[in-house]
Structure formats: structure tokens, C-alpha cells
Amino acid sequence: MITQQEAYETMMSEARPMGSERVGLDDALGRVLAEDVRSDMDMPPFIKSAMDGYACRRKDLANKLKVVEVLKAGAVPGKTIATNECAKIMTGGMVPEGADCVIVVEEVNVLDTDTVQFNGESTRDNVCQKGEDMQVDDVVLTAGIRLGPQHIAMMASVGCVSPQVVCRPRVGILATGDELVEPDVIPDVSQIRTSNSHQLIAQVRACGAIPTYYGIARDTKESLDAAVKTAMSDCDLVLLTGGVSMGDLDLVPGIMKANKVNILFEEIAVQPGKPTTFGVSEEAACVGLPGSPVAAFTQFELLVKPFIFSMMWHEYRPGHLRLPMAENRTRARALRENWFPFKLTDDGAVLPCEFHGSAHVESICEAYGLAHMPVGMSTIEAGALVSVRIL
Ligand code: AMP
Ligand code: MG
């Protein structure tokens, strides 16, 4: 059995990069940048006032100053500041030639309509130098960044109105199991609703990929095979849930093989998620996730999410922290590594969520992240540091 880390490395080495396309600036949120963005100008593009005040010469600070013009932001100065002169200036305004500082309004006495005097002891320059934030042709964003609102602002300020971004992978989702019904159906006595299908649709969408749902395949070779064939031919990646364990009707790995999927692993030494199966065909990559909802959720986080991001040229690096345990945690066996959902206490400690087993979806609803117990560790004491991953 391979380790979680080996499973991760195997999958990452199989991620096939998507192509790229141009999109409008306001459609780029959540997409991954496919090429570096460079600045088309210096920023600020001129010497800019950082304050509301009066632009003048530092060596005249002790003198009365004549106000020669008023400069709003956006105005071009018409005058050069000479000895004992100043220009009233607003934040963001162009500092006139001759001036080397801006004295702030709060430190100025207005003597009459066009005469002022500095009343402070000393002043900073209160100006932003041309090009101090960035210069023309500087790389301001690098390929591989996943674009958030702040990156959209960056692109807007350098005139990058149609960024080149990575195409979104199409990800097929297929639930398997005779016991499953869709959420809008009231289950019979022996049935449950498929929560994994919709969890996975949401998880895929949250990564910025395009989910396509193929419904519930029944636990027969015919039903599974037909659905897998369609999904593999439509999609870049296919996610199945259920049917990967050791039961008589756990047909998924066999169906994957029958569809020319080269299986690269069928078991991981982890809890939850041991039966997670992965393989690739010429058409698409294929992951068989466990049916147990918490296991499907966890293995999506640990494996599928970084894989999807890697297809989109983005190196996914979740926040990894070491935090103290709020209480003791013990497990019966420590043959596999373990990831468990936890809440954060008010003083920043790791409190395991109430957990009844891998079908207990509620346990992940309140989770702040997943915490880690390595192989061989059956107890963590309160106060000991534990590795966690923020969701
Ligand atoms: P399996 O891996 O098919 O043996 O399923 C393991 C457990 O997960 C069983 O209790 C299933 O009923 C449950 N399960 C399977 N698929 C889903 C699903 N799509 N949504 C919620 N629970 C599921
Ligand atoms: Mg099943």
C-alpha cells in the first residue's frame, strides 16, 4: 500500500496541462493566469501628493507662503513653485515643479485668502515618487497565479483588460450505488440521498473547473460501463464515488480497467480514504473516490484539488500550520496515517469535531481544517503540536 504522499506525487506527475484562452478582466476571477502580466506604465506615473496640503520648498518652511494655484487630483500644474510660494494640493494631485514637499493642512495657518504659514516643527516629504511602486515593463503578476480580486485590481491598473488564462478542465462526476437517490427524492426504507455527487460538484466548481454530473450509476457492470464511457469521452477528469471497496458489488476498478484506464494505485495507507483509486487513459484521468462522504471529502481535498489546480498550471499550496491540541486524542490502531476534521478554539487550539465515522457529514460542516496523525501515532496529548491544513 502506498502512502498519501506517494499517491499525491503519482497523481501530480500525471496532471496534463490545459490550454489557454483570453477572457475579459471581469471574468478572470478564480482563473489561473497563463502568462506574466507586465506594467505598461510607471506607478505612480508622476510625483504625487500623498496628503491634502500645500506643495512648497522645504527651505521656505519658516516663511509665509503665497498660494499661487489650487491643484485638485487630475489637474496638471500650471505654475512652477518659486521662493516663498506654494500650491494648495489634494491627495493624488500632481506635485508642481519646484516643490519638494507637501505640508499637511493640519499644520498650516491660513493668514489670508492667498497666504499660509507652516506651524509644525518638521515635515516629511508627503510625496510619492514617480515609479516607486512599479516601473514600465516590470512583471507585476506571474503565470500560475490564481486570480483573486486584488490581482484583478493589479491588471486593471496596468491596462491588462483581456488576460490570458488557463482553460478550465471539464470534470465528470458519477455516483455509484443501488442505495442512492437524488436529493429531491424521499428515500425508501433502504435508500439514502447522494450527498457526494453534489459535494463533488461544489468542490470542483470551487476550484474553478467545470463540473458535469452524470447522475447515479447502478451497481451493475452495464450501468457503470455506459456512464464511465460517456464521462471519459466528454471530460478531462472523471470522479467516481463508491464502489471502490472490497464488497461484492465494488465494480469501479474493474470498469476503469475495462475502459483502458491504466490504474496507478488502488489503495492508500490513510484513514479516511483507503480504497481511493487512480488511473489514466488516453482520454482522461479517473479517480475512484470512496463512497463514505467524509472520505470522499477528505481525499478530494488532499488529492483531487491539487490535481485539478496542477492541470490549470497552478501549484496549490494550502496553509500548513502546527497548532496545539485542545484535548487528548486517541485512536485504536495507528497502521495508517489519519486526517481528522477539527474546530479552532477561541485561543487557537485544535479541537477534534464530533465524529461518528466516515458517513458523518455533519462533522465536516463545522471543520476549520483537517489535522494529521502520522503512522504509528495512536495518541496526541493536549498541548502537543499537531500539523493541520486549513480548509
Ligand atoms: P461504497 O464505497 O460504495 O461501499 O460506499 C460506502 C458507503 O458510502 C456506503 O454506506 C454508501 O451507502 C455510502 N455512499 C456511497 N455513495 C454515496 C453517495 N454518493 N453519497 C452519500 N453516501 C454514499
Ligand atoms: Mg456502493
Side-chain angles (χ1 to χ4, degrees):
M1 231 189 299
I2 63 172
T3 65
Q4 184 78 51
Q5 179 62 22
E6 286 162 348
Y8 170 84
E9 282 160 18
T10 303
M11 282 185 64
M12 295 305 271
S13 69
E14 295 293 333
R16 293 177 202 151
M18 303 295 296
S20 68
E21 60 183 340
R22 279 200 191 282
V23 294
L25 185 58
D26 293 328
D27 295 319
L29 181 69
R31 304 294 296 268
V32 177
L33 205 53
E35 63 185 19
D36 293 350
V37 173
R38 290 175 183 273
S39 179
D40 68 342
M41 64 194 292
D42 292 340
M43 195 60 103
F46 47 82
I47 303 175
K48 186 176 82 172
S49 178
M51 294 294 203
D52 293 324
Y54 294 83
C56 62
R57 296 147 54 119
R58 186 175 279 285
K59 60 177 187 287
D60 298 340
L61 283 183
N63 308 335
K64 291 177 184 164
L65 302 174
K66 180 164 186 280
V67 183
V68 295
E69 68 176 327
V70 176
L71 295 168
K72 298 188 214 160
V76 179
K79 305 224 161 83
T80 297
I81 301 302
T83 303
N84 294 337
E85 286 182 349
C86 68
K88 189 169 192 187
I89 192 165
M90 317 297 150
T91 304
M94 253 177 114
V95 175
E97 294 225 8
D100 55 13
C101 67
V102 171
I103 50 178
V104 299
V105 280
E106 294 85 349
E107 293 183 335
V108 164
N109 295 334
V110 177
L111 303 179
D112 62 54
T113 45
D114 64 355
T115 314
V116 297
Q117 183 152 29
F118 181 55
N119 63 22
E121 300 210 325
S122 64
T123 182
R124 303 170 182 230
D125 291 346
N126 294 320
V127 301
C128 306
Q129 292 303 332
K130 178 177 185 317
E132 78 175 27
D133 295 341
M134 64 193 181
Q135 297 187 349
V136 72
D137 225 31
D138 279 354
V139 172
V140 291
L141 295 174
T142 47
I145 284 182
R146 188 169 191 222
L147 298 167
Q150 65 277 43
H151 307 118
I152 306 282
M154 186 76 254
M155 292 191 290
S157 63
V158 300
C160 176
V161 291
S162 45
Q164 187 80 18
V165 298
V166 181
C167 295
R168 306 164 67 194
R170 286 159 311 163
V171 181
I173 292 152
L174 178 62
T176 74
D178 286 345
E179 74 281 31
L180 301 177
V181 295
E182 287 298 340
D184 60 351
V185 173
I186 297 187
D188 262 345
V189 282
S190 62
Q191 295 178 324
I192 58 166
R193 295 191 173 101
T194 173
S195 58
N196 289 351
S197 306
H198 302 279
Q199 170 190 300
L200 288 167
I201 291 169
Q203 284 178 305
V204 165
R205 190 166 284 148
C207 293
I210 304 169
T212 304
Y213 183 42
Y214 292 89
I216 302 165
R218 296 306 164 193
D219 287 323
T220 65
K221 282 190 178 150
E222 296 68 34
S223 172
L224 262 173
D225 187 62
V228 168
K229 273 202 168 56
T230 312
M232 296 284 293
S233 71
D234 291 351
C235 297
D236 304 298
L237 168 66
V238 175
L239 306 177
L240 293 101
T241 102
V244 285
S245 336
M246 301 303 285
D248 292 349
L249 293 174
D250 288 328
L251 305 169
V252 166
I255 296 295
M256 283 167 68
K257 285 173 201 155
N259 282 280
K260 301 204 173 72
V261 174
N262 179 25
I263 305 268
L264 297 172
F265 59 80
E266 282 187 71
E267 252 187 356
I268 309 175
V270 65
Q271 200 285 312
K274 178 167 170 252
T276 303
T277 301
F278 172 72
V280 287
S281 79
E282 270 169 30
E283 283 180 325
C286 188
V287 186
L289 290 164
S292 304
V294 177
F297 180 88
T298 304
Q299 290 303 324
F300 186 97
E301 274 298 317
L302 299 180
L303 293 179
V304 182
K305 191 174 188 177
F307 183 76
I308 290 176
F309 278 130
S310 182
M311 292 170 83
M312 298 196 294
W313 316 5
H314 174 64
E315 190 190 350
Y316 174 64
R317 296 160 132 273
H320 274 272
L321 301 173
R322 285 175 62 76
L323 297 177
M325 284 296 286
E327 58 182 39
N328 291 347
R329 183 171 190 273
T330 300
R331 54 180 180 148
R333 281 185 307 257
L335 295 173
R336 295 181 265 155
E337 67 181 279
N338 169 225
W339 290 87
F340 60 92
F342 72 93
K343 297 187 268 195
L344 203 61
T345 63
D346 288 344
D347 46 6
V350 170
L351 185 66
C353 296
E354 188 179 327
F355 185 68
H356 305 164
S358 17
H360 190 202
V361 180
E362 235 183 309
S363 69
I364 45 177
C365 286
E366 50 185 20
Y368 182 74
L370 299 171
H372 186 238
M373 284 176 89
V375 174
M377 180 189 279
S378 50
T379 302
I380 333 177
E381 310 259 304
L385 291 180
V386 59
S387 291
V388 305
R389 177 173 171 129
I390 309 303
L391 286 174

Short mmCIF file of all heavy atoms in Angstrom, two decimals, residues 230-293:
data_model
loop_
_atom_site.label_atom_id
_atom_site.label_comp_id
_atom_site.label_asym_id
_atom_site.label_seq_id
_atom_site.Cartn_x
_atom_site.Cartn_y
_atom_site.Cartn_z
N THR A 230 -19.14 7.37 -21.36
CA THR A 230 -19.59 8.71 -21.76
C THR A 230 -18.76 9.77 -21.05
O THR A 230 -18.26 10.71 -21.67
CB THR A 230 -21.07 8.91 -21.35
OG1 THR A 230 -21.80 7.79 -21.77
CG2 THR A 230 -21.65 10.17 -21.98
N ALA A 231 -18.60 9.61 -19.74
CA ALA A 231 -17.88 10.63 -18.96
C ALA A 231 -16.43 10.74 -19.43
O ALA A 231 -15.90 11.84 -19.59
CB ALA A 231 -17.95 10.29 -17.47
N MET A 232 -15.79 9.59 -19.67
CA MET A 232 -14.37 9.62 -20.09
C MET A 232 -14.22 10.31 -21.45
O MET A 232 -13.22 10.99 -21.68
CB MET A 232 -13.78 8.21 -20.19
CG MET A 232 -13.71 7.44 -18.88
SD MET A 232 -12.39 7.91 -17.75
CE MET A 232 -10.93 7.41 -18.61
N SER A 233 -15.20 10.12 -22.33
CA SER A 233 -15.01 10.74 -23.64
C SER A 233 -15.34 12.23 -23.62
O SER A 233 -14.83 12.99 -24.43
CB SER A 233 -15.78 9.99 -24.73
OG SER A 233 -17.15 10.21 -24.55
N ASP A 234 -16.18 12.67 -22.67
CA ASP A 234 -16.54 14.10 -22.60
C ASP A 234 -15.54 14.94 -21.82
O ASP A 234 -15.47 16.15 -22.00
CB ASP A 234 -17.87 14.29 -21.82
CG ASP A 234 -19.07 13.76 -22.56
OD1 ASP A 234 -18.95 13.40 -23.74
OD2 ASP A 234 -20.16 13.72 -21.93
N CYS A 235 -14.83 14.32 -20.87
CA CYS A 235 -14.18 15.11 -19.80
C CYS A 235 -12.66 14.94 -19.80
O CYS A 235 -12.12 14.01 -20.39
CB CYS A 235 -14.72 14.69 -18.44
SG CYS A 235 -16.48 15.02 -18.28
N ASP A 236 -12.00 15.84 -19.08
CA ASP A 236 -10.56 15.75 -18.86
C ASP A 236 -10.25 14.90 -17.63
O ASP A 236 -9.17 14.33 -17.50
CB ASP A 236 -9.98 17.16 -18.66
CG ASP A 236 -10.31 18.07 -19.83
OD1 ASP A 236 -9.87 17.76 -20.94
OD2 ASP A 236 -11.05 19.05 -19.63
N LEU A 237 -11.20 14.89 -16.71
CA LEU A 237 -11.03 14.14 -15.46
C LEU A 237 -12.40 13.60 -15.07
O LEU A 237 -13.40 14.31 -15.20
CB LEU A 237 -10.51 15.11 -14.37
CG LEU A 237 -10.52 14.63 -12.92
CD1 LEU A 237 -9.56 13.46 -12.72
CD2 LEU A 237 -10.13 15.78 -11.97
N VAL A 238 -12.42 12.35 -14.60
CA VAL A 238 -13.69 11.77 -14.16
C VAL A 238 -13.55 11.36 -12.70
O VAL A 238 -12.57 10.71 -12.31
CB VAL A 238 -14.07 10.55 -15.03
CG1 VAL A 238 -15.33 9.87 -14.49
CG2 VAL A 238 -14.27 10.98 -16.48
N LEU A 239 -14.51 11.77 -11.89
CA LEU A 239 -14.53 11.40 -10.47
C LEU A 239 -15.72 10.48 -10.24
O LEU A 239 -16.86 10.85 -10.52
CB LEU A 239 -14.70 12.66 -9.59
CG LEU A 239 -13.71 13.79 -9.81
CD1 LEU A 239 -14.06 14.98 -8.91
CD2 LEU A 239 -12.28 13.32 -9.53
N LEU A 240 -15.41 9.28 -9.72
CA LEU A 240 -16.49 8.38 -9.33
C LEU A 240 -16.52 8.33 -7.81
O LEU A 240 -15.48 8.51 -7.16
CB LEU A 240 -16.25 6.97 -9.87
CG LEU A 240 -16.31 6.83 -11.38
CD1 LEU A 240 -14.93 6.79 -11.96
CD2 LEU A 240 -17.09 5.59 -11.74
N THR A 241 -17.69 8.08 -7.24
CA THR A 241 -17.67 7.81 -5.81
C THR A 241 -18.42 6.53 -5.53
O THR A 241 -19.43 6.24 -6.16
CB THR A 241 -18.28 8.94 -4.94
OG1 THR A 241 -19.59 8.56 -4.56
CG2 THR A 241 -18.31 10.23 -5.63
N GLY A 242 -17.89 5.79 -4.56
CA GLY A 242 -18.47 4.50 -4.19
C GLY A 242 -17.93 3.39 -5.08
O GLY A 242 -17.27 3.63 -6.09
N GLY A 243 -18.19 2.18 -4.64
CA GLY A 243 -17.84 1.03 -5.46
C GLY A 243 -16.36 0.73 -5.59
O GLY A 243 -15.94 0.01 -6.49
N VAL A 244 -15.56 1.28 -4.67
CA VAL A 244 -14.13 1.00 -4.75
C VAL A 244 -13.61 0.13 -3.60
O VAL A 244 -12.44 -0.19 -3.56
CB VAL A 244 -13.27 2.30 -4.80
CG1 VAL A 244 -13.35 2.95 -6.17
CG2 VAL A 244 -13.65 3.28 -3.71
N SER A 245 -14.52 -0.24 -2.67
CA SER A 245 -14.03 -1.04 -1.53
C SER A 245 -14.00 -2.52 -1.88
O SER A 245 -13.92 -2.89 -3.05
CB SER A 245 -14.88 -0.81 -0.28
OG SER A 245 -15.53 0.42 -0.34
N MET A 246 -14.15 -3.37 -0.88
CA MET A 246 -13.95 -4.80 -1.10
C MET A 246 -15.26 -5.57 -1.24
O MET A 246 -15.27 -6.79 -1.31
CB MET A 246 -13.15 -5.38 0.09
CG MET A 246 -11.78 -4.76 0.31
SD MET A 246 -10.75 -4.88 -1.15
CE MET A 246 -10.33 -6.62 -1.04
N GLY A 247 -16.40 -4.85 -1.29
CA GLY A 247 -17.68 -5.55 -1.37
C GLY A 247 -17.85 -6.27 -2.71
O GLY A 247 -17.14 -6.00 -3.67
N ASP A 248 -18.86 -7.17 -2.74
CA ASP A 248 -19.11 -7.93 -3.97
C ASP A 248 -19.42 -7.01 -5.15
O ASP A 248 -19.16 -7.35 -6.30
CB ASP A 248 -20.32 -8.86 -3.77
CG ASP A 248 -20.01 -9.96 -2.77
OD1 ASP A 248 -18.81 -10.12 -2.43
OD2 ASP A 248 -20.95 -10.64 -2.33
N LEU A 249 -20.06 -5.87 -4.85
CA LEU A 249 -20.50 -5.01 -5.94
C LEU A 249 -19.61 -3.78 -6.10
O LEU A 249 -20.03 -2.78 -6.65
CB LEU A 249 -21.97 -4.62 -5.71
CG LEU A 249 -22.89 -5.83 -5.84
CD1 LEU A 249 -24.32 -5.48 -5.49
CD2 LEU A 249 -22.83 -6.40 -7.27
N ASP A 250 -18.39 -3.87 -5.61
CA ASP A 250 -17.45 -2.77 -5.80
C ASP A 250 -16.73 -2.96 -7.12
O ASP A 250 -15.65 -3.53 -7.21
CB ASP A 250 -16.51 -2.67 -4.59
CG ASP A 250 -17.27 -2.14 -3.37
OD1 ASP A 250 -18.22 -1.33 -3.58
OD2 ASP A 250 -16.96 -2.52 -2.25
N LEU A 251 -17.41 -2.48 -8.15
CA LEU A 251 -17.02 -2.82 -9.53
C LEU A 251 -16.16 -1.76 -10.19
O LEU A 251 -15.72 -1.94 -11.32
CB LEU A 251 -18.30 -2.99 -10.37
CG LEU A 251 -19.32 -4.00 -9.84
CD1 LEU A 251 -20.63 -3.89 -10.60
CD2 LEU A 251 -18.75 -5.42 -9.97
N VAL A 252 -15.96 -0.64 -9.51
CA VAL A 252 -15.36 0.52 -10.18
C VAL A 252 -13.96 0.25 -10.74
O VAL A 252 -13.71 0.52 -11.92
CB VAL A 252 -15.42 1.77 -9.27
CG1 VAL A 252 -14.52 2.88 -9.78
CG2 VAL A 252 -16.86 2.26 -9.17
N PRO A 253 -13.03 -0.30 -9.94
CA PRO A 253 -11.69 -0.51 -10.52
C PRO A 253 -11.74 -1.40 -11.77
O PRO A 253 -11.05 -1.11 -12.76
CB PRO A 253 -10.91 -1.19 -9.38
CG PRO A 253 -11.60 -0.72 -8.13
CD PRO A 253 -13.06 -0.64 -8.50
N GLY A 254 -12.57 -2.43 -11.76
CA GLY A 254 -12.70 -3.32 -12.92
C GLY A 254 -13.21 -2.57 -14.14
O GLY A 254 -12.71 -2.75 -15.26
N ILE A 255 -14.20 -1.72 -13.93
CA ILE A 255 -14.77 -0.95 -15.05
C ILE A 255 -13.74 0.07 -15.57
O ILE A 255 -13.64 0.31 -16.78
CB ILE A 255 -16.07 -0.23 -14.61
CG1 ILE A 255 -17.14 -1.25 -14.24
CG2 ILE A 255 -16.57 0.73 -15.68
CD1 ILE A 255 -17.62 -2.11 -15.39
N MET A 256 -12.97 0.64 -14.66
CA MET A 256 -11.92 1.56 -15.11
C MET A 256 -10.97 0.82 -16.03
O MET A 256 -10.63 1.29 -17.13
CB MET A 256 -11.18 2.16 -13.90
CG MET A 256 -11.96 3.26 -13.18
SD MET A 256 -11.31 3.73 -11.54
CE MET A 256 -9.77 4.50 -11.93
N LYS A 257 -10.54 -0.37 -15.58
CA LYS A 257 -9.58 -1.15 -16.41
C LYS A 257 -10.21 -1.51 -17.75
O LYS A 257 -9.55 -1.41 -18.80
CB LYS A 257 -9.17 -2.43 -15.68
CG LYS A 257 -8.18 -2.16 -14.55
CD LYS A 257 -7.90 -3.41 -13.71
CE LYS A 257 -7.36 -3.01 -12.33
NZ LYS A 257 -7.60 -4.01 -11.28
N ALA A 258 -11.48 -1.90 -17.73
CA ALA A 258 -12.16 -2.28 -18.97
C ALA A 258 -12.24 -1.09 -19.93
O ALA A 258 -12.39 -1.28 -21.14
CB ALA A 258 -13.56 -2.81 -18.67
N ASN A 259 -12.13 0.11 -19.40
CA ASN A 259 -12.15 1.31 -20.26
C ASN A 259 -10.75 1.87 -20.50
O ASN A 259 -10.57 3.06 -20.67
CB ASN A 259 -13.10 2.36 -19.66
CG ASN A 259 -14.55 2.02 -19.94
OD1 ASN A 259 -15.04 2.29 -21.03
ND2 ASN A 259 -15.21 1.39 -18.99
N LYS A 260 -9.79 0.97 -20.51
CA LYS A 260 -8.40 1.30 -20.87
C LYS A 260 -7.75 2.31 -19.93
O LYS A 260 -6.87 3.08 -20.31
CB LYS A 260 -8.30 1.83 -22.30
CG LYS A 260 -8.80 0.85 -23.36
CD LYS A 260 -8.14 1.17 -24.71
CE LYS A 260 -8.44 0.15 -25.77
NZ LYS A 260 -9.83 0.21 -26.26
N VAL A 261 -8.22 2.31 -18.68
CA VAL A 261 -7.58 3.16 -17.69
C VAL A 261 -6.44 2.37 -17.07
O VAL A 261 -6.65 1.25 -16.57
CB VAL A 261 -8.58 3.62 -16.59
CG1 VAL A 261 -7.87 4.37 -15.48
CG2 VAL A 261 -9.68 4.47 -17.20
N ASN A 262 -5.26 2.94 -17.13
CA ASN A 262 -4.09 2.31 -16.51
C ASN A 262 -4.08 2.69 -15.02
O ASN A 262 -3.82 3.83 -14.67
CB ASN A 262 -2.83 2.81 -17.22
CG ASN A 262 -1.56 2.23 -16.63
OD1 ASN A 262 -1.59 1.15 -16.02
ND2 ASN A 262 -0.47 2.96 -16.77
N ILE A 263 -4.40 1.72 -14.17
CA ILE A 263 -4.54 2.02 -12.74
C ILE A 263 -3.15 2.20 -12.12
O ILE A 263 -2.29 1.34 -12.26
CB ILE A 263 -5.27 0.87 -12.01
CG1 ILE A 263 -6.61 0.57 -12.67
CG2 ILE A 263 -5.38 1.15 -10.52
CD1 ILE A 263 -7.79 1.29 -12.13
N LEU A 264 -2.95 3.32 -11.44
CA LEU A 264 -1.64 3.60 -10.84
C LEU A 264 -1.61 3.37 -9.34
O LEU A 264 -0.56 3.16 -8.77
CB LEU A 264 -1.20 5.02 -11.19
CG LEU A 264 -1.01 5.22 -12.71
CD1 LEU A 264 -0.77 6.67 -13.06
CD2 LEU A 264 0.12 4.35 -13.24
N PHE A 265 -2.75 3.47 -8.68
CA PHE A 265 -2.86 2.95 -7.31
C PHE A 265 -4.31 2.62 -6.99
O PHE A 265 -5.23 3.19 -7.57
CB PHE A 265 -2.25 3.89 -6.27
CG PHE A 265 -2.82 5.28 -6.19
CD1 PHE A 265 -4.01 5.53 -5.51
CD2 PHE A 265 -2.15 6.35 -6.78
CE1 PHE A 265 -4.52 6.82 -5.42
CE2 PHE A 265 -2.67 7.65 -6.70
CZ PHE A 265 -3.85 7.88 -6.02
N GLU A 266 -4.49 1.67 -6.06
CA GLU A 266 -5.84 1.22 -5.69
C GLU A 266 -6.06 1.30 -4.21
O GLU A 266 -7.14 0.95 -3.72
CB GLU A 266 -6.07 -0.23 -6.15
CG GLU A 266 -6.38 -0.36 -7.61
CD GLU A 266 -6.78 -1.79 -7.99
OE1 GLU A 266 -7.88 -2.22 -7.60
OE2 GLU A 266 -5.97 -2.46 -8.65
N GLU A 267 -5.04 1.69 -3.47
CA GLU A 267 -5.17 1.70 -2.01
C GLU A 267 -4.13 2.65 -1.44
O GLU A 267 -2.98 2.66 -1.89
CB GLU A 267 -4.88 0.31 -1.45
CG GLU A 267 -6.10 -0.39 -0.96
CD GLU A 267 -5.75 -1.71 -0.26
OE1 GLU A 267 -4.57 -2.11 -0.24
OE2 GLU A 267 -6.67 -2.31 0.27
N ILE A 268 -4.53 3.41 -0.46
CA ILE A 268 -3.61 4.33 0.21
C ILE A 268 -3.63 4.01 1.70
O ILE A 268 -4.70 3.76 2.26
CB ILE A 268 -4.04 5.80 0.00
CG1 ILE A 268 -4.27 6.11 -1.48
CG2 ILE A 268 -3.00 6.76 0.57
CD1 ILE A 268 -4.82 7.51 -1.73
N ALA A 269 -2.47 4.08 2.32
CA ALA A 269 -2.39 3.78 3.76
C ALA A 269 -2.82 5.02 4.54
O ALA A 269 -2.02 5.72 5.15
CB ALA A 269 -0.97 3.38 4.14
N VAL A 270 -4.11 5.30 4.47
CA VAL A 270 -4.65 6.50 5.11
C VAL A 270 -6.05 6.19 5.64
O VAL A 270 -6.72 5.28 5.15
CB VAL A 270 -4.70 7.67 4.09
CG1 VAL A 270 -5.66 7.39 2.96
CG2 VAL A 270 -5.03 8.99 4.78
N GLN A 271 -6.42 6.98 6.62
CA GLN A 271 -7.77 6.87 7.15
C GLN A 271 -8.27 8.30 7.35
O GLN A 271 -7.61 9.07 8.04
CB GLN A 271 -7.72 6.12 8.49
CG GLN A 271 -9.03 5.51 8.95
CD GLN A 271 -9.98 6.57 9.48
OE1 GLN A 271 -9.60 7.40 10.28
NE2 GLN A 271 -11.21 6.55 9.00
N PRO A 272 -9.32 8.75 6.67
CA PRO A 272 -10.18 8.01 5.76
C PRO A 272 -9.70 8.09 4.31
O PRO A 272 -8.95 8.99 3.98
CB PRO A 272 -11.51 8.76 5.91
CG PRO A 272 -11.10 10.18 6.13
CD PRO A 272 -9.81 10.12 6.90
N GLY A 273 -10.12 7.09 3.51
CA GLY A 273 -9.85 7.16 2.08
C GLY A 273 -9.01 6.02 1.55
O GLY A 273 -8.50 6.09 0.43
N LYS A 274 -8.90 4.94 2.33
CA LYS A 274 -8.02 3.82 1.93
C LYS A 274 -8.27 3.30 0.51
O LYS A 274 -7.32 3.10 -0.25
CB LYS A 274 -8.16 2.70 2.97
CG LYS A 274 -7.36 1.46 2.68
CD LYS A 274 -7.32 0.56 3.92
CE LYS A 274 -6.75 -0.80 3.64
NZ LYS A 274 -7.77 -1.86 3.64
N PRO A 275 -9.54 3.08 0.10
CA PRO A 275 -9.72 2.47 -1.23
C PRO A 275 -9.61 3.43 -2.42
O PRO A 275 -9.92 3.03 -3.55
CB PRO A 275 -11.14 1.88 -1.15
CG PRO A 275 -11.84 2.65 -0.10
CD PRO A 275 -10.82 3.22 0.83
N THR A 276 -9.16 4.64 -2.21
CA THR A 276 -9.07 5.62 -3.31
C THR A 276 -8.23 5.05 -4.46
O THR A 276 -7.13 4.54 -4.24
CB THR A 276 -8.45 6.94 -2.80
OG1 THR A 276 -9.26 7.40 -1.73
CG2 THR A 276 -8.39 7.98 -3.90
N THR A 277 -8.79 5.13 -5.65
CA THR A 277 -8.19 4.50 -6.84
C THR A 277 -7.93 5.58 -7.90
O THR A 277 -8.76 6.47 -8.07
CB THR A 277 -9.18 3.44 -7.38
OG1 THR A 277 -9.41 2.50 -6.34
CG2 THR A 277 -8.62 2.72 -8.59
N PHE A 278 -6.79 5.46 -8.57
CA PHE A 278 -6.46 6.48 -9.58
C PHE A 278 -5.83 5.83 -10.80
O PHE A 278 -5.02 4.90 -10.68
CB PHE A 278 -5.48 7.50 -9.00
CG PHE A 278 -4.93 8.46 -10.02
CD1 PHE A 278 -5.74 9.45 -10.56
CD2 PHE A 278 -3.61 8.37 -10.46
CE1 PHE A 278 -5.25 10.34 -11.52
CE2 PHE A 278 -3.11 9.25 -11.42
CZ PHE A 278 -3.93 10.24 -11.94
N GLY A 279 -6.20 6.33 -11.96
CA GLY A 279 -5.56 5.86 -13.18
C GLY A 279 -5.76 6.85 -14.31
O GLY A 279 -6.49 7.84 -14.18
N VAL A 280 -5.08 6.60 -15.41
CA VAL A 280 -5.19 7.49 -16.57
C VAL A 280 -5.39 6.67 -17.85
O VAL A 280 -4.86 5.56 -17.96
CB VAL A 280 -3.92 8.37 -16.74
CG1 VAL A 280 -3.85 9.45 -15.69
CG2 VAL A 280 -2.65 7.54 -16.72
N SER A 281 -6.16 7.22 -18.76
CA SER A 281 -6.26 6.64 -20.09
C SER A 281 -5.84 7.73 -21.08
O SER A 281 -5.53 8.84 -20.66
CB SER A 281 -7.69 6.19 -20.38
OG SER A 281 -8.49 7.30 -20.73
N GLU A 282 -5.87 7.41 -22.36
CA GLU A 282 -5.54 8.46 -23.33
C GLU A 282 -6.54 9.60 -23.26
O GLU A 282 -6.21 10.75 -23.49
CB GLU A 282 -5.50 7.88 -24.74
CG GLU A 282 -4.11 7.37 -25.08
CD GLU A 282 -4.07 6.55 -26.34
OE1 GLU A 282 -4.91 6.79 -27.24
OE2 GLU A 282 -3.20 5.65 -26.40
N GLU A 283 -7.80 9.24 -22.94
CA GLU A 283 -8.86 10.25 -22.94
C GLU A 283 -8.83 11.16 -21.72
O GLU A 283 -8.99 12.38 -21.84
CB GLU A 283 -10.23 9.56 -22.96
CG GLU A 283 -10.60 9.01 -24.30
CD GLU A 283 -11.98 8.33 -24.25
OE1 GLU A 283 -12.33 7.70 -23.23
OE2 GLU A 283 -12.69 8.44 -25.25
N ALA A 284 -8.68 10.56 -20.57
CA ALA A 284 -8.89 11.33 -19.34
C ALA A 284 -8.23 10.64 -18.15
O ALA A 284 -7.89 9.46 -18.22
CB ALA A 284 -10.39 11.47 -19.07
N ALA A 285 -8.09 11.41 -17.07
CA ALA A 285 -7.69 10.81 -15.80
C ALA A 285 -8.95 10.40 -15.06
O ALA A 285 -10.02 10.95 -15.31
CB ALA A 285 -6.90 11.82 -14.98
N CYS A 286 -8.83 9.45 -14.16
CA CYS A 286 -10.02 8.92 -13.49
C CYS A 286 -9.69 8.62 -12.03
O CYS A 286 -8.71 7.95 -11.73
CB CYS A 286 -10.44 7.65 -14.22
SG CYS A 286 -12.01 7.00 -13.66
N VAL A 287 -10.52 9.15 -11.13
CA VAL A 287 -10.32 8.89 -9.71
C VAL A 287 -11.56 8.18 -9.16
O VAL A 287 -12.68 8.67 -9.33
CB VAL A 287 -10.11 10.19 -8.89
CG1 VAL A 287 -9.77 9.87 -7.44
CG2 VAL A 287 -9.02 11.06 -9.51
N GLY A 288 -11.36 7.04 -8.53
CA GLY A 288 -12.43 6.37 -7.81
C GLY A 288 -12.33 6.77 -6.35
O GLY A 288 -11.40 6.35 -5.65
N LEU A 289 -13.25 7.62 -5.91
CA LEU A 289 -13.24 8.06 -4.51
C LEU A 289 -14.12 7.12 -3.69
O LEU A 289 -15.07 6.54 -4.22
CB LEU A 289 -13.78 9.49 -4.41
CG LEU A 289 -12.87 10.57 -4.99
CD1 LEU A 289 -13.64 11.87 -5.19
CD2 LEU A 289 -11.65 10.79 -4.08
N PRO A 290 -13.83 6.99 -2.41
CA PRO A 290 -14.67 6.16 -1.56
C PRO A 290 -16.11 6.69 -1.53
O PRO A 290 -16.33 7.88 -1.79
CB PRO A 290 -14.04 6.30 -0.17
CG PRO A 290 -12.66 6.80 -0.42
CD PRO A 290 -12.72 7.61 -1.67
N GLY A 291 -17.05 5.82 -1.22
CA GLY A 291 -18.44 6.26 -1.10
C GLY A 291 -18.68 7.02 0.18
O GLY A 291 -19.54 7.91 0.25
N SER A 292 -17.94 6.70 1.22
CA SER A 292 -18.15 7.35 2.51
C SER A 292 -17.90 8.85 2.37
O SER A 292 -16.83 9.27 1.93
CB SER A 292 -17.20 6.79 3.55
OG SER A 292 -17.39 5.40 3.61
N PRO A 293 -18.91 9.64 2.74
CA PRO A 293 -18.83 11.08 2.45
C PRO A 293 -17.60 11.78 3.03
O PRO A 293 -17.00 12.60 2.34
CB PRO A 293 -20.13 11.62 3.07
CG PRO A 293 -21.08 10.48 2.92
CD PRO A 293 -20.25 9.25 3.18
#
